[in-house]
Amino acid sequence: MNASAHQPPRTVRANGIDICYEIFGNDDAEPLLLIMGLGAQMIHWDDAFCEQLAARGFRVIRFDNRDIGKSSHLTGGKRLTPLELLKLRFLKIPVAATYKLIDMAKDTVGLMDALGIKSAHLVGASMGGMIAQEVTLSFPQRVRSLTSIMSTTGNPRVPPPTREAAAMLMAPPPRSKEEFIARFGETWKILRGGSFPEEEALDLGRAERVFARGLNPAGVGRQLRAVLASGSRKERLHGVKMPTLVIHGTVDPLVHPEGGKDTAASIPGAKLLMIEGMGHALPMRFWPEIIGAIDKHAHGAAAQAA
């Protein structure tokens, strides 16, 4: 990839909302969409991570999901309560939601339409993996390959998050920049599930960048409701014909490792890569393995389709 191939962030109208996106790589390279997780801005796909994928021959597109970062912030919905979660878990009473994962899947397809991309390789992390699964299920003709990272099928039998990770998810939003920065560091320590001093050294700069792009705590709540209201995709995933790679960490505290195993078991022919010592994050020390696997999988799918 040459330096001029990086395009700065832009905003485009898609599926009735504004979506902020950024492109790394040459226009004629294999299009690869990176879909981020719950409450996470597109910059959680690290710049260098995107550059390394672009250097492998991909046109890498990262974007802010609805209700986060520089994309449209919606309205409505109340903060999720522990009682609603208990009702969902034990009484199967669905959670009310302003929108569902299918709407976020339509955002993804709308962005592809706006960029003139007929089909692309999809790489989704956490909730992004759920969105990528939904695009593959609802718009299969738009997908060249699917990579689902630290995600799950929505199957209620998958074990829940650890108590610590669940408490972090339900904590009230920070009230100041200082509180946000402190919380950011604490959150990622929990999510990484181990000692990563090289990551912790970068957390302050990352937190400041996220804060500068703008927070939307109510939007994170709506995204969480979208996940919970969308139910299980497990049965539908049996019909997926797309080349699929599932990547999951062995110590993921938020989406139990069984979530990755369940995803791979539900999709015919899916490949499963369990990364020893990886939690619910993409630390730099695992990039060679993760990027290498995405590269091999997506280019392999492209060669098969040619």
Side-chain angles (χ1 to χ4, degrees):
M1 170 187 131
N2 57 54
S4 63
H6 175 214
Q7 300 174 23
R10 294 177 184 167
T11 300
V12 71
R13 195 81 181 159
N15 193 30
I17 63 168
D18 292 330
I19 296 179
C20 180
Y21 70 95
E22 188 172 6
I23 298 178
F24 300 79
N26 300 319
D27 287 349
D28 57 354
E30 286 280 324
L32 186 146
L33 255 73
L34 298 176
I35 311 173
M36 229 326 132
L38 177 72
Q41 298 182 10
M42 67 178 182
I43 57 174
H44 282 291
W45 295 110
D46 197 280
D47 295 11
F49 184 91
C50 298
E51 287 161 1
Q52 287 181 34
L53 276 170
R56 303 280 189 120
F58 294 105
R59 183 187 183 207
V60 179
I61 300 136
R62 65 180 181 182
F63 64 97
D64 286 325
N65 286 311
R66 60 168 62 197
D67 255 337
I68 204 77
K70 298 284 189 184
S71 289
S72 286
H73 293 185
L74 283 79
T75 57
K78 292 177 183 169
R79 190 168 167 72
L80 193 71
T81 65
L83 180 60
E84 284 179 283
L85 288 177
L86 288 171
K87 284 180 176 177
L88 176 68
R89 188 164 179 78
F90 296 108
L91 303 176
K92 306 291 182 279
I93 296 172
V95 164
T98 308
Y99 51 82
K100 294 185 179 180
L101 291 175
I102 182 62
D103 299 296
M104 301 182 85
K106 288 175 181 175
D107 294 345
T108 306
V109 172
L111 175 61
M112 290 168 65
D113 288 342
L115 297 178
I117 298 170
K118 286 184 179 173
S119 63
H121 303 281
L122 301 187
V123 178
S126 196
M127 179 187 73
M130 302 173 197
I131 296 167
Q133 290 172 27
E134 190 58 63
V135 175
T136 305
L137 289 165
S138 300
F139 308 95
Q141 71 282 7
R142 309 302 298 266
V143 182
R144 299 186 187 188
S145 73
L146 167 64
T147 300
S148 182
I149 305 175
M150 54 194 183
S151 195
T152 184
T153 58
N155 176 4
R157 293 187 177 178
V158 169
T162 64
R163 190 168 292 185
E164 198 179 23
M168 176 207 74
L169 206 58
M170 298 300 288
R175 287 163 300 204
S176 66
K177 181 179 179 180
E178 292 69 31
E179 198 179 327
F180 170 76
I181 287 170
R183 176 87 59 86
F184 187 96
E186 291 161 11
T187 297
W188 286 102
K189 269 187 186 174
I190 292 168
L191 291 178
R192 289 183 196 119
S195 176
F196 293 86
E198 69 279 15
E199 299 294 330
E200 290 168 22
L202 298 173
D203 278 345
L204 174 60
R206 289 170 173 164
E208 289 187 327
R209 191 177 176 198
V210 167
F211 188 87
R213 295 184 83 242
L215 306 182
N216 187 24
V220 179
R222 282 188 288 272
Q223 288 185 352
L224 182 55
R225 284 182 175 277
V227 170
L228 296 171
S230 294
S232 175
R233 293 168 296 285
K234 186 173 174 64
E235 294 304 317
R236 294 163 66 214
L237 287 169
H238 295 331
V240 169
K241 296 178 173 62
M242 229 51 64
T244 300
L245 170 65
V246 177
I247 300 174
H248 216 103
T250 59
V251 297
D252 191 326
L254 190 62
V255 179
H256 194 282
E258 287 301 319
K261 292 174 184 175
D262 191 52
T263 305
S266 302
I267 299 174
K271 294 172 282 192
L272 176 63
L273 171 61
M274 297 297 295
I275 298 184
E276 192 63 41
M278 184 173 102
H280 199 78
L282 300 170
M284 293 176 286
R285 72 173 71 158
F286 299 124
W287 287 4
E289 198 172 356
I290 295 166
I291 290 170
I294 294 170
D295 176 20
K296 183 180 176 185
H297 174 64
H299 279 306
Q304 240 179 332

